[in-house]
Amino acid sequence: DAKTTQPTSMDCAEGRAANLPCNHSTISGNEYVYWYRQIHSQGPQYIIHGLKNNETNEMASLIITEDRKSSTLILPHATLRDTAVYYCIVRPNFGNEKLTFGTGTRLTIIP
Amino acid sequence: DTEVTQTPKHLVMGMTNKKSLKCEQHMGHRAMYWYKQKAKKPPELMFVYSYEKLSINESVPSRFSPECPNSSLLNLHLHALQPEDSALYLCASSAPGQGYQPQHFGDGTRLSIL
């Protein structure tokens, strides 16, 4: 699996958009970008994934650069419940198997 | 509320004890996983079961013994653990099918080895 680089921590004001960056400069053509988050004392939760087009669901938006070397997860209106560690993962889009978590970004939403 | 249920939530055991962690899901998922998470570290994959058969063992010591008795249940049998095995043990499951199927995680069992 390709490696990812994320900032260790970030703060965001409640109600503002939280933009979490991820670098994956060695991503290969068949690898997708996935985002999970882990709220304290809970298991990880899937957020979104994408290949090259921007993706949006009820939780977040994923913006992937044209060269696919980086991406940004956007939480449009952050709430206190969005405080969590956010993991960016790249892997092929087949198989229900290995998921390798990096160190992630600890996002703190400030009231 | 999580759809993957893990019991117990907390477990304290001595190094000579034998105990089991249990995981249950009723979503019809046919892939199930065990992860280990040390404090302030990301989860690390231990085992993967696909259609009740062990498909991945990430070189886990034999003192950890997984079992998948049916498509809804996953156990992790523990024996002669070491203090460094103290961690949060997470279970996950995912649906069959082509393309990526998100993994659904339970909230884990926090294990302490005395």
Side-chain angles (χ1 to χ4, degrees):
Chain A
D1 291 349
K3 290 188 176 180
T4 61
T5 304
Q6 300 177 253
T8 303
S9 63
M10 294 179 62
D11 293 340
C12 178
E14 187 178 17
R16 304 297 294 270
N19 296 279
L20 292 95
C22 179
N23 285 322
H24 31 80
S25 58
T26 60
I27 192 170
S28 59
N30 69 340
E31 290 183 316
Y32 281 59
V33 181
Y34 303 86
W35 285 83
Y36 278 75
R37 73 179 182 184
Q38 188 171 19
I39 296 169
H40 183 62
S41 298
Q42 296 183 19
Q45 176 190 25
Y46 166 78
I47 302 172
I48 198 168
H49 76 282
L51 179 63
K52 56 183 179 181
N53 298 318
N54 297 340
E55 301 288 345
T56 295
N57 64 19
E58 65 278 5
M59 290 183 68
S61 295
L62 174 60
I63 308 297
I64 302 174
T65 58
E66 192 167 346
D67 63 8
R68 303 207 325 119
K69 293 183 184 298
S70 65
S71 60
T72 301
L73 178 75
I74 301 172
L75 309 178
H77 304 288
T79 71
L80 298 179
R81 288 175 294 181
D82 292 322
T83 292
V85 178
Y86 287 76
Y87 296 102
C88 169
I89 301 163
V90 295
R91 68 184 295 281
N93 189 36
F94 58 83
N96 291 330
E97 300 185 347
K98 192 162 186 173
L99 198 62
T100 303
F101 290 85
T103 53
T105 295
R106 182 171 298 277
L107 176 66
T108 302
I109 305 302
I110 309 296
Chain B
D1 288 342
T2 181
E3 297 167 308
V4 176
T5 303
Q6 293 189 242
T7 56
K9 293 190 184 307
H10 302 275
L11 179 62
V12 179
M13 58 186 287
M15 290 188 285
T16 59
N17 293 156
K18 286 185 181 181
K19 296 285 186 182
S20 297
L21 309 185
K22 297 186 184 300
C23 174
E24 189 168 4
Q25 57 86 17
H26 295 287
M27 296 179 281
H29 291 176
R30 301 306 297 271
M32 297 187 76
Y33 313 77
W34 281 115
Y35 288 82
K36 174 181 177 180
Q37 186 173 24
K38 301 282 282 183
K40 300 190 184 303
K41 298 290 187 183
E44 295 179 338
L45 183 68
M46 300 174 72
F47 302 104
V48 179
Y49 273 83
S50 181
Y51 291 87
E52 295 92 71
K53 294 192 187 309
L54 183 65
S55 60
I56 293 180
N57 177 342
E58 290 287 295
S59 302
V60 178
S62 59
R63 58 185 183 268
F64 295 91
S65 175
E67 177 196 21
C68 191
N70 60 56
S71 60
S72 300
L73 293 175
L74 185 67
N75 298 321
L76 186 63
H77 303 297
L78 314 173
H79 173 55
L81 295 194
Q82 303 299 308
E84 61 265 26
D85 296 322
S86 296
L88 180 69
Y89 288 84
L90 293 160
C91 172
S93 68
S94 62
Q98 295 190 359
Y100 184 72
Q101 302 295 331
Q103 293 184 20
H104 298 249
F105 285 80
D107 288 337
T109 293
R110 191 162 298 281
L111 177 65
S112 298
I113 307 301
L114 301 179

